[in-house]
Amino acid sequence: MTQATRLNFNQTPGTLSQYARALFAKGSGQKEPQLPSLEAMQTGVRADRNKVIAYADVCGFDSAAAQLPLTYPHILAFPLHMELMLHKSFPLALMGLVHIRNSISQYRAIDCQEKLDIRCFISNSERTDKGLEFDIKTEIDIAGERVWESVSTNLARIGGGAKKVASNQLRPALPQFEMAERWLLASNLGRRYARVSGDSNPIHLFAASAKLFGFKSHIAHGMWSKARTAAALQKKLGSDACRITTEFKLPVFLPTTVELNYNRGEQTMAFDLRDTKGQKVHMKGEIQRL
């Protein structure tokens, strides 16, 4: 078994410089890229209280809470994700990757003042009809105790994947939900979230910058949609220890109005995020007690 290349960081890498590097990272161009064994670590990470408050305000969490929002550790780990994908041995162009799934498990509430040890590494990969899927797993410990972990699945669109099986079947009807709430998303949402998350991918910032990458307009961050959903549903679930899993289906073009649909449950709550006509599902998943 090949030993992993370990990247150790004493300070959090700057995401603006990372995106500058990403714009020029072209990937290897290999038809059958092999993902390297890479991991990145940073110990003793403490969240900046002012940044946590700003993030909570943008994503709908309680900004007065003494604990980190459920999705905030992803923000602390995200610069390490970037370093993995910008490493010289990583064969894929970062700017072409699509975040398609994400699972977050929190085992207890995390106080804003606690010091976190963060480890991220490239995990499973799989060829599909759309390209190459791979996972980045994040593990966060406090004094040796596992308190939070996640799996982010990304897709690199590469030709020559497994053949898609043709189907003449009609699409199944979308599920019915008990509850719904609507959110008005402003045109500047992507820029607001970029300031609090460090994710300054041009596809989220302006219509003009998104069009350079093939989008008709700029789109909301998938992790904003997930965070906003977590903020709405975790308090209804009533548990600090929980798991929220999501599939990102269709982009949310800004500005727009979307609808969060969900079922109430004591242990598990299923949900999806749709357009107001109820025809396009942007994201779906569930949140459950642990």
Side-chain angles (χ1 to χ4, degrees):
M1 184 175 181
T2 304
Q3 186 172 0
T5 299
R6 177 176 294 178
L7 311 176
N8 290 300
F9 295 90
N10 296 320
Q11 295 182 330
T12 302
T15 51
L16 285 179
S17 64
Q18 287 176 332
Y19 272 106
R21 291 157 57 197
L23 288 173
F24 297 99
K26 302 301 182 184
S28 67
Q30 298 171 347
K31 291 184 179 180
E32 296 294 335
Q34 298 297 312
L35 297 184
S37 183
L38 285 174
E39 65 178 58
M41 298 188 65
Q42 186 179 1
T43 60
V45 178
R46 180 178 286 166
D48 182 308
R49 178 62 181 158
N50 291 330
K51 292 181 178 180
V52 173
I53 291 172
Y55 175 88
D57 285 340
V58 172
C59 299
F61 291 98
D62 179 5
S63 59
Q67 293 77 36
L68 295 181
L70 173 60
T71 50
Y72 194 77
H74 174 84
I75 303 304
L76 299 176
F78 181 70
L80 301 185
H81 290 202
M82 291 285 286
E83 289 296 332
L84 292 176
M85 294 183 287
L86 286 169
H87 192 267
K88 61 183 180 181
S89 66
F90 189 74
L92 306 172
L94 189 149
M95 295 305 294
L97 300 179
V98 182
H99 193 185
I100 58 173
R101 290 188 298 276
N102 181 271
S103 173
I104 287 174
S105 301
Q106 178 172 275
Y107 302 108
R108 68 163 174 84
I110 303 172
D111 191 273
C112 288
Q113 297 302 309
E114 292 188 283
K115 291 184 178 181
L116 314 181
D117 296 332
I118 305 174
R119 174 177 178 252
C120 307
F121 56 96
I122 296 175
S123 184
N124 301 324
S125 63
E126 179 184 7
R127 266 296 206 151
T128 71
D129 60 292
K130 294 182 179 179
L132 178 65
E133 295 182 8
F134 69 93
D135 295 339
I136 295 181
K137 187 168 184 180
T138 300
E139 299 173 343
I140 296 182
D141 296 348
I142 297 176
E145 174 194 8
R146 180 65 43 80
V147 295
W148 192 98
E149 59 187 348
S150 73
V151 178
S152 292
T153 304
N154 298 278
L155 168 68
R157 299 188 187 279
I158 304 172
K163 291 183 179 180
K164 189 174 183 179
V165 178
S167 174
N168 296 321
Q169 295 181 352
L170 295 175
R171 290 184 179 180
L174 295 178
Q176 299 295 311
F177 290 91
E178 300 169 333
M179 312 294 293
E181 57 184 73
R182 287 192 172 187
W183 306 332
L184 176 62
L185 312 187
S187 181
N188 69 347
L189 174 62
R191 299 190 292 279
R192 292 180 64 217
Y193 185 77
R195 284 194 290 271
V196 300
S197 69
D199 186 347
S200 298
N201 190 320
I203 66 174
H204 302 301
L205 305 182
F206 299 95
S209 59
K211 288 176 181 177
L212 295 175
F213 295 90
F215 292 90
K216 66 180 183 180
S217 185
H218 55 315
I219 63 177
H221 294 72
M223 287 304 295
W224 177 87
S225 298
K226 176 161 188 163
R228 183 67 185 85
T229 299
L233 298 185
Q234 186 188 10
K235 58 188 175 184
K236 300 180 189 300
L237 190 69
S239 178
D240 291 323
C242 60
R243 176 177 295 120
I244 180 168
T245 58
T246 48
E247 293 182 48
F248 304 112
K249 308 297 287 185
L250 293 172
V252 177
F253 292 102
L254 300 171
T256 191
T257 300
V258 293
E259 186 171 271
L260 175 68
N261 304 283
Y262 60 95
N263 288 325
R264 287 187 177 275
E266 292 185 3
Q267 299 298 324
T268 302
M269 302 172 69
F271 61 83
D272 72 19
L273 189 69
R274 304 182 191 179
D275 67 334
T276 53
K277 294 181 180 179
Q279 299 174 347
K280 297 179 179 179
V281 176
H282 300 291
M283 182 184 74
K284 67 177 184 177
E286 66 177 25
I287 183 169
Q288 63 184 110
R289 287 175 175 263
L290 294 179

